[in-house]
C-alpha cells in the first residue's frame, strides 16, 4: 500500500500547482477588483517600455478563473474516486489479514486470495497513475489556453498602443516586504503599469466570446 500513498501525494501536488496560488493572490486582487472591472486607458506614451503584473492579471482574469474552476472540479472528482478505491482495497486487505490471523482460511485459499489482492493493488496503482497523467494534461492544456489568449490579445493590443516593449512582472514585493528578485520589474513609474488596461480588455473580449458561444 506504500505505492498508493506516493501516487496520491503526486496527484495532490499537481492540484496545488493549479490552484494553490489562487488563495494567496486573492487578498491582493481584492484591492484591484474595482479597477479591473472598468476599462482604464493606459497613460504611457507610444514607444514606452511598459509592464504587466501577472499576479494581478491571473487573479482577476475571468477566463483563467473559469478554467481553474472547471479543472478543480474535475480534480476533486478524480481524487474522490481514487480515495474510494483505495479505501475499498484497504478494507479488503484488512479483512484478509483478519481471516489469516484467526485461521479461517486454508493455506491454499489464503494464497489465492493474496494473489487476488496483489492484482487489485496493481490495477489500483495503474488507475491512479493514469488519472495523475490526466490531471497533468488538464493543467497543461489549461495553462496553454490562458497563455494563448493573453498573448493573442496583447499582440493585437500593442498594434494600437505601439509600445516599444511589454515586460511581464510577478509583483514588486511580498507581504513581508521581501523583494521578489525573480521579477523583471522591481520598481517603476505607475503610469507604465498597463495591467488594469490589459485586464479590462481581456475580460471584455472573454465576455464577448462567451456570449457568442451561447447564441
Amino acid at each position: 500500500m506504500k505505492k498508493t500513498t506516493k501516487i496520491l501525494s503526486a496527484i495532490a501536488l499537481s492540484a496545488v500547482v493549479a490552484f494553490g496560488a489562487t488563495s494567496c493572490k486573492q487578498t491582493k486582487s481584492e484591492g484591484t477588483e474595482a479597477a479591473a472591472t472598468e476599462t482604464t486607458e493606459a497613460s504611457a506614451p507610444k514607444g514606452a517600455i511598459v509592464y504587466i503584473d501577472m499576479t494581478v492579471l491571473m487573479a482577476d482574469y475571468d477566463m483563467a478563473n473559469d478554467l481553474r474552476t472547471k479543472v478543480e472540479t474535475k480534480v476533486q472528482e478524480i481524487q474522490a474516486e481514487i480515495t474510494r478505491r483505495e479505501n475499498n482495497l484497504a478494507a479488503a486487505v484488512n479483512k484478509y489479514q483478519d481471516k489469516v490471523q484467526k485461521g479461517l482460511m486454508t493455506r491454499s485459499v489464503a494464497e489465492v486470495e493474496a494473489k487476488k489482492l496483489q492484482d487489485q493493488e496493481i490495477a489500483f496503482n495503474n488507475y491512479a497513475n493514469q488519472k495523475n497523467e490526466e490531471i497533468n494534461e488538464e493543467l497543461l492544456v489549461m495553462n496553454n489556453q490562458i497563455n494563448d489568449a493573453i498573448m493573442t490579445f496583447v499582440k493585437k493590443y500593442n498594434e494600437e498602443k505601439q509600445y516599444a516593449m511589454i515586460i511581464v512582472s510577478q509583483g514588486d514585493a511580498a507581504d513581508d516586504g521581501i523583494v521578489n528578485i525573480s521579477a523583471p520589474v522591481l520598481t517603476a513609474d505607475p503610469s507604465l503599469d498597463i495591467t488594469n488596461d490589459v485586464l479590462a480588455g481581456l475580460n471584455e473580449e472573454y465576455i464577448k466570446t462567451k456570449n457568442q458561444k451561447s447564441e
Side-chain angles (χ1 to χ4, degrees):
M1 297 298 290
K2 292 182 179 179
K3 294 181 181 177
T4 63
T5 303
K6 293 181 180 179
I7 292 168
L8 292 173
S9 298
I11 291 175
L13 179 60
S14 298
V16 168
V17 172
F19 316 115
T22 305
S23 59
C24 297
K25 298 172 185 174
Q26 186 173 359
T27 302
K28 185 173 182 179
S29 67
E30 288 174 354
T32 61
E33 185 174 356
T37 56
E38 300 178 0
T39 303
T40 307
E41 289 296 331
S43 58
K46 293 181 179 180
I49 297 177
V50 296
Y51 68 96
I52 299 172
D53 187 336
M54 291 301 293
T55 303
V56 173
L57 189 72
M58 292 301 293
D60 294 322
Y61 182 21
D62 292 341
M63 175 183 172
N65 287 325
D66 286 350
L67 289 176
R68 277 195 294 262
T69 299
K70 289 180 180 178
V71 174
E72 182 177 21
T73 299
K74 185 171 294 188
V75 168
Q76 289 174 345
E77 291 174 351
I78 290 174
Q79 288 178 326
E81 177 61 18
I82 287 176
T83 299
R84 186 188 69 81
R85 295 191 181 203
E86 184 184 35
N87 290 339
N88 288 342
L89 180 58
V93 170
N94 290 335
K95 185 177 180 180
Y96 166 80
Q97 291 175 339
D98 183 60
K99 286 184 176 181
V100 170
Q101 290 173 358
K102 293 179 178 179
L104 301 178
M105 290 187 292
T106 63
R107 179 178 297 180
S108 60
V109 172
E111 290 176 352
V112 171
E113 291 298 319
K115 180 62 170 59
K116 288 181 180 179
L117 289 173
Q118 289 175 355
D119 291 342
Q120 289 176 19
E121 183 176 5
I122 292 172
F124 170 78
N125 285 325
N126 289 338
Y127 173 83
N129 277 326
Q130 177 188 348
K131 291 303 177 180
N132 188 35
E133 291 177 2
E134 287 181 15
I135 289 176
N136 289 331
E137 187 177 358
E138 289 282 351
L139 295 175
L140 178 61
V141 170
M142 178 190 72
N143 289 331
N144 288 341
Q145 288 176 335
I146 295 171
N147 290 337
D148 182 68
I150 293 174
M151 285 298 300
T152 300
F153 175 82
V154 169
K155 287 179 180 179
K156 183 173 65 176
Y157 170 87
N158 204 38
E159 288 177 1
E160 176 187 348
K161 300 296 183 179
Q162 296 182 13
Y163 295 127
M165 185 180 296
I166 299 177
I167 298 174
V168 171
S169 175
Q170 298 295 334
D172 55 357
D175 293 337
D176 57 6
I178 299 176
V179 175
N180 179 8
I181 59 175
S182 64
V185 180
L186 297 182
T187 183
D189 186 330
S191 66
L192 301 177
D193 184 354
I194 63 170
T195 306
N196 287 338
D197 197 34
V198 171
L199 177 59
L202 280 167
N203 283 336
E204 182 179 354
E205 188 169 279
Y206 178 57
I207 291 173
K208 289 180 180 178
T209 302
K210 286 180 67 176
N211 291 337
Q212 290 173 355
K213 289 181 179 180
S214 62
E215 291 178 355

